Amino acid sequence: MVKDLSGLSVQYIKGVGPRRAALLKRLGISTVRDALYYLPYRYEDRRDIRKISELGTLPSLKYGSLLPLGGCAVPLQTALGRVIAKGIIKLRGNKKLFELTVSDGSGVIKAKWFNQPFMQKRFELGSEVVLSGTVRPAYRGKGLEMENPEYEIVSDEGALPTAEKHVMIHTGRIAPVYRATEGLSSRQLRGIIHSVLEAHMGEVNDPVPGEILRRCGLPGLKESIMGCHFPEAEADIESLAAWQGDCQRRLSFDELFMLELGLAAIKNSRSREKGIAFGAGGDLILRLRQSLPFSLTRGQEKAVEDILGDMKAPCPMNRLLQGDVGSGKTVCALMAMLFAVESGYQAALMAPTEILAGQHYINMRKIILELGLKVCLLTGSIKERPLDEIAEGKVDIVIGTHALIEEGIRFGRLGLAVIDEQHRFGVRQRSVLRKKAHNPDILIMTATPIPRTLAMTLYGDLDCSVIDSLPPGRTPVAATVLSPAEKSRVYSIISEEVKSGGQVYVVYPVIEESEKTSLKSAILGAEAMKKIFPALRVSLIHGRLRYEEREAIMMDFKRGDIDILVSTTVIEVGVDVPNASLMVIVHAERFGLSQLHQLRGRVGRGMRRSRCILLAYAPLGEEAQRRLDVMSRTSDGFEVAEEDLSIRGQGELMGVKQSGMPDLRVADILRDAGLLEAARKEAFNLFDKDPRLEGFPELRSCLENFWKGKVELFKTA
Ligand code: ADP
Ligand code: MG
């Protein structure tokens, strides 16, 4: 935001020499701009200057005993007076105590510093000082004392009457507290940052149009930077602590605004790229509709309409299709792929795992072949690859894993790429895929519903369709948390389920018993199941099996030839067996929330009433408990996703590093959800009016700075 100041080294600031500059660098502060944006991590209220006679005290402590720490807040008090005495007292063990005696006429207080004899030189008799700290009755004698107080020399005895009034920065105000480093204290940082503000505040220009600030009710940039470091006397200390003061919100807004502007720029430049305007003369979609045993839900119809609309337009599609597990995204994707094929192009479907790609292939192959098209499966472990046919455009639909975008695989006329279940696929990876095949249309499907805030950030450059309802006849899958002590109950639930015609998944977190983690292994689990249910057909599937073996097992399960399928999390996503009606998750406390939700989504996909048992082993951590509570409370994917975000926090969930998004340092998309919404609206608005930000050169250069090294925002071509 403060662009010119990012070229100015802090070394030339008053009070900073080469030594301090090196220390500052450790904190990430090299330039004046860095210093302005080195924000306090908390504040201390030292506003209330009291008469010494009115100071309250805590019970006296013996020197050397521990001060109460942590949760027990030590009240800070502040007093103002003149130095009436000072001196160093020698203690046992060659230790030194510096004592300063201050009086304000109403009383006397002593300030004490251990082993800092140099303090002696800082104070002169007669100087006016402010002390801020924890007040106790004097260790010996009358009066009060503070140990290691924060101090400020307000005026020296000899100062001329015309001398400027001293600006208090450490005491007598709300004081900022900075993360310090060895050799550079928070107090010293406060001084340095204050000097930086005094010297350079005037040069700060506000790049954000005033109109936008007015609409959002936010203060100007100068005022905000100032107010974040040195809040005004009447600022609300609680808002400050929650980082919700106006000045703080302004700086959060800036980050979110830059983020959204960048996304708007990406989206905008893409909309001016040339893509394929699909226009079909075929009847594939119609024939698919006729062959489906169901009609699409309203949500599906709307999604298909959005998708086909995008595909017909001459710029490349970039659409995110969201829908809870089981909402029927696959058929929407299939329609899109058929539309591409009808229009004379190839389509590809990319899934994150082999098993999922295989599932899609199995599910779609029959329909696709019936329509007279050619389809193939392309994964890492498949040796037979019809590469020439793909390159010549003879294969209409290719289903596969990341192998699809490997080098050496060329498509003759790829028109549409569908990426399934890829919440791990960020802005940058998407652009790799796009380059792979001259601007194909891209449809991303995710089964993990994305909280609004994340959708606005991580996927903020995409158009979005949401399938918000499940196909008719589905009942929500209730989750019940049970403990190992209730195992026999679990067994009888399993046997009941199979007796009544259902099938059962039993999921374990790892595949082999390891002493370290003491997790029940799926292998042992399967053996146990066989013993407990000798009459039932029990099978085991896990990630170390060869692909063909896994596929064969899944097919058996789907056909109903297996009653109980014991597995590791390889079945996590996308597997579709409508008759499966019971999911037992062993060691449920070890799974993440969205993983639990995904797993639960494997049942309840048909007409059978389904349920999910979460077998949880004590001791449960607080987070694990929260996850299990959420699972038993709701089966709504969006609610689960919001909870997941709030449990894990934005950093982890966003996977910012791999997504190619700029870091957020000040803003927090959870805390600042409202600001994010406003920032997005304003950013996209502004971009609509002025797509190259020509009227806002300053804003534009801030924006480029913010996204530097991530994505090139304003391509010249
Ligand atoms: P997901 O969104 O999790 O990928 P799928 O596309 O795998 O869900 O669909 C889940 C199941 O619902 C599949 O068996 C599919 O055939 C079925 N299905 C999809 N749409 C409908 C519909 N409109 N009516 C009934 N069943 C449907
Ligand atoms: Mg799916």
Side-chain angles (χ1 to χ4, degrees):
M1 263 114 277
V2 194
K3 209 196 157 224
D4 297 339
L5 299 178
S6 55
L8 210 59
S9 165
V10 271
Q11 189 165 332
Y12 306 106
I13 292 298
K14 194 175 93 193
V16 182
R19 200 186 69 85
R20 277 200 171 168
L23 291 172
L24 285 168
K25 194 155 187 208
R26 257 200 251 156
L27 297 172
I29 307 173
S30 312
T31 67
V32 165
R33 186 194 184 283
D34 297 337
L36 294 180
Y37 280 92
Y38 193 77
L39 301 172
Y41 74 97
R42 65 183 182 89
Y43 299 87
E44 270 177 17
D45 193 348
R46 303 176 188 158
R47 280 177 294 191
D48 184 19
I49 299 184
R50 297 204 186 164
K51 278 196 184 150
I52 294 175
S53 62
E54 283 167 10
L55 294 173
T57 61
L58 282 179
S60 120
L61 280 179
K62 271 180 100 168
Y63 288 130
S65 59
L66 285 174
L67 283 172
L69 286 176
C72 161
V74 181
L76 278 176
Q77 296 185 87
T78 305
L80 166 87
R82 283 190 190 278
V83 178
I84 55 170
K86 62 170 187 169
I88 289 180
I89 298 167
K90 291 225 166 75
L91 303 175
R92 252 176 295 152
N94 206 20
K95 295 206 169 97
K96 285 174 184 164
L97 171 66
F98 171 59
E99 250 187 25
L100 187 76
T101 312
V102 172
S103 160
D104 68 351
S106 82
V108 170
I109 188 164
K110 278 187 177 157
K112 305 190 167 186
W113 287 271
F114 287 89
N115 291 322
Q116 299 174 51
F118 54 86
M119 293 291 279
Q120 157 119 297
K121 290 196 214 98
R122 299 213 175 141
F123 298 93
E124 281 174 42
L125 289 176
S127 294
E128 207 175 9
V129 299
V130 180
L131 300 171
S132 197
T134 309
V135 179
R136 298 175 190 284
Y139 175 61
R140 277 205 189 107
K142 288 193 295 163
L144 303 170
E145 67 178 41
M146 288 186 193
E147 203 178 307
N148 273 321
E150 188 65 85
Y151 64 91
E152 188 125 29
I153 300 159
V154 188
S155 71
D156 289 332
E157 167 74 333
L160 297 171
T162 53
E164 268 179 53
K165 199 173 171 294
H166 177 85
V167 185
M168 287 197 280
I169 62 172
H170 305 293
T171 58
R173 60 168 313 123
I174 297 174
V177 183
Y178 299 94
R179 292 205 189 283
T181 183
E182 206 182 314
L184 198 58
S185 66
S186 175
R187 179 186 169 91
Q188 289 165 326
L189 279 162
R190 196 180 296 129
I192 292 168
I193 288 169
H194 191 258
S195 304
V196 172
L197 288 169
E198 285 208 310
H200 294 287
M201 217 44 219
E203 297 146 54
V204 169
N205 286 323
D206 197 336
V208 178
E211 197 187 323
I212 292 180
L213 294 178
R214 267 192 299 284
R215 267 200 299 274
C216 301
L218 295 168
L221 185 56
K222 271 185 213 177
E223 185 188 332
S224 300
I225 292 179
M226 197 66 209
C228 280
H229 290 288
F230 295 98
E232 302 208 308
E234 57 275 14
D236 174 33
I237 192 84
E238 307 221 320
S239 313
L240 285 173
W243 204 264
Q244 289 297 300
D246 286 345
C247 298
Q248 297 163 318
R249 278 165 41 85
R250 162 66 208 264
L251 297 193
S252 300
F253 176 85
D254 282 359
E255 260 189 3
L256 298 169
F257 190 52
M258 291 301 149
L259 183 72
E260 291 300 331
L261 274 176
L263 292 168
I266 293 171
K267 200 168 162 187
N268 184 278
S269 77
R270 214 185 280 137
S271 75
R272 285 179 292 112
E273 272 168 32
K274 235 177 90 67
I276 304 162
F278 294 87
D283 59 353
L284 292 175
I285 291 186
L286 201 67
R287 281 165 58 205
L288 172 66
R289 280 181 186 277
Q290 283 161 353
S291 72
L292 287 177
F294 49 75
S295 49
L296 297 193
T297 61
R298 273 252 295 284
Q300 285 171 315
E301 287 291 2
K302 177 73 178 74
V304 170
E305 192 187 312
D306 290 347
I307 294 165
L308 299 191
D310 284 359
M311 289 178 72
K312 287 174 195 162
C315 56
M317 165 166 78
N318 278 281
R319 186 166 285 277
L320 176 69
L321 177 57
Q322 287 196 68
D324 210 343
V325 266
S327 60
K329 295 180 291 293
T330 317
V331 68
C332 301
L334 184 56
M335 285 196 177
M337 292 199 285
L338 294 179
F339 190 58
V341 175
E342 282 185 354
S343 312
Y345 290 89
Q346 290 169 295
L349 171 62
M350 190 160 99
T353 64
E354 285 201 15
I355 204 151
L356 245 178
Q359 277 293 311
H360 278 310
Y361 182 66
I362 294 164
N363 289 339
M364 293 183 178
R365 180 176 46 194
K366 190 161 153 276
I367 302 173
I368 296 173
L369 292 177
E370 272 171 12
L371 292 169
L373 307 181
K374 278 198 98 163
V375 55
C376 80
L377 179 64
L378 202 77
T379 67
S381 64
I382 288 179
K383 297 286 164 286
E384 242 171 76
R385 297 177 160 192
L387 295 186
D388 290 341
E389 292 194 287
I390 295 173
E392 284 158 23
K394 286 182 190 149
V395 180
D396 301 294
I397 293 177
V398 185
I399 296 173
T401 56
H402 272 76
L404 276 180
I405 54 170
E406 271 168 27
E407 237 166 275
I409 293 179
R410 287 195 310 109
F411 287 86
R413 46 190 177 87
L414 183 64
L416 170 71
V418 180
I419 302 169
D420 189 22
E421 328 270 24
Q422 271 295 6
H423 43 285
R424 282 153 276 183
F425 224 65
V427 176
R428 199 164 24 196
Q429 290 94 325
R430 272 181 256 140
S431 87
V432 173
L433 178 61
R434 204 168 295 116
K435 278 182 197 132
K436 180 89 197 165
H438 330 276
N439 268 346
D441 277 15
I442 291 182
L443 176 65
I444 296 175
M445 302 196 289
T446 169
T448 316
I450 301 169
R452 260 188 78 71
T453 45
L454 269 188
M456 277 191 284
T457 49
L458 203 46
Y459 294 100
D461 61 321
L462 303 178
D463 297 303
C464 187
S465 300
V466 179
I467 304 178
D468 51 9
S469 54
L470 294 179
R474 304 272 176 87
T475 46
V477 181
T480 317
V481 181
L482 294 177
S483 74
E486 297 162 291
K487 251 186 195 158
S488 60
R489 214 177 124 202
V490 178
Y491 296 144
S492 68
I493 294 171
I494 292 177
S495 88
E496 283 302 311
E497 198 62 42
V498 176
K499 224 179 268 165
S500 69
Q503 286 168 281
V504 181
Y505 287 109
V506 179
V507 182
Y508 286 82
V510 290
I511 68 154
E512 267 166 64
E513 188 82 7
S514 119
E515 278 175 14
K516 265 197 301 232
T517 58
S518 83
L519 289 173
K520 298 270 187 307
S521 82
I523 295 169
L524 291 182
E527 275 165 21
M529 289 292 161
K530 281 178 192 159
K531 283 205 194 98
I532 299 161
F533 305 109
L536 302 185
R537 295 160 299 177
V538 179
S539 270
L540 172 68
I541 187 169
H542 57 75
R544 300 211 187 150
L545 294 176
R546 287 211 330 277
Y547 171 74
E548 294 79 23
E549 292 174 286
R550 277 184 281 161
E551 186 180 59
I553 296 169
M554 280 318 298
M555 287 309 288
D556 284 350
F557 190 55
K558 206 168 165 139
R559 266 197 307 270
D561 293 344
I562 295 172
D563 300 312
I564 301 176
L565 184 61
V566 178
S567 85
T568 59
T569 41
V570 290
I571 58 149
E572 181 184 347
V573 275
V575 178
D576 189 34
V577 181
N579 194 51
S581 49
L582 175 63
M583 164 75 57
V584 179
I585 303 176
V586 184
H587 274 295
E589 79 283 357
R590 309 238 169 183
F591 291 81
L593 193 45
S594 70
Q595 213 178 5
L596 288 173
H597 182 68
Q598 284 289 324
L599 284 169
R600 171 168 61 180
R602 298 307 105 205
V603 295
R605 297 171 80 85
M607 290 308 199
R608 287 185 65 86
R609 234 185 75 82
S610 302
R611 64 188 293 191
C612 174
I613 307 276
L614 303 171
L615 202 54
Y617 288 66
L620 294 181
E622 192 192 323
E623 276 193 17
Q625 187 64 57
R626 260 182 86 185
R627 292 194 294 262
L628 297 174
D629 289 347
V630 173
M631 284 294 292
S632 33
R633 193 181 70 231
T634 180
S635 56
D636 176 335
F638 280 92
E639 212 177 316
V640 171
E642 294 282 354
E643 291 283 353
D644 195 26
L645 184 60
S646 89
I647 292 174
R648 294 209 277 169
Q650 67 172 12
E652 208 183 322
L653 202 61
M654 281 183 80
V656 183
K657 293 278 167 337
Q658 50 169 327
S659 74
M661 301 288 263
D663 290 343
L664 297 180
R665 292 156 168 235
V666 188
D668 177 314
I669 59 167
L670 287 172
R671 184 190 64 205
D672 302 318
L675 273 180
L676 172 61
E677 194 113 17
R680 180 166 180 89
K681 208 170 122 206
E682 294 294 348
F684 277 74
N685 244 336
L686 188 65
F687 238 88
D688 274 350
K689 279 189 246 152
D690 186 354
R692 301 192 66 80
L693 298 183
E694 265 145 13
F696 307 90
E698 197 132 4
L699 188 60
R700 186 176 147 144
S701 79
C702 289
L703 179 60
E704 279 170 324
N705 234 21
F706 187 76
W707 281 79
K708 202 163 59 193
K710 303 285 180 191
V711 178
E712 200 186 329
L713 293 182
F714 298 95
K715 277 184 239 145
T716 32

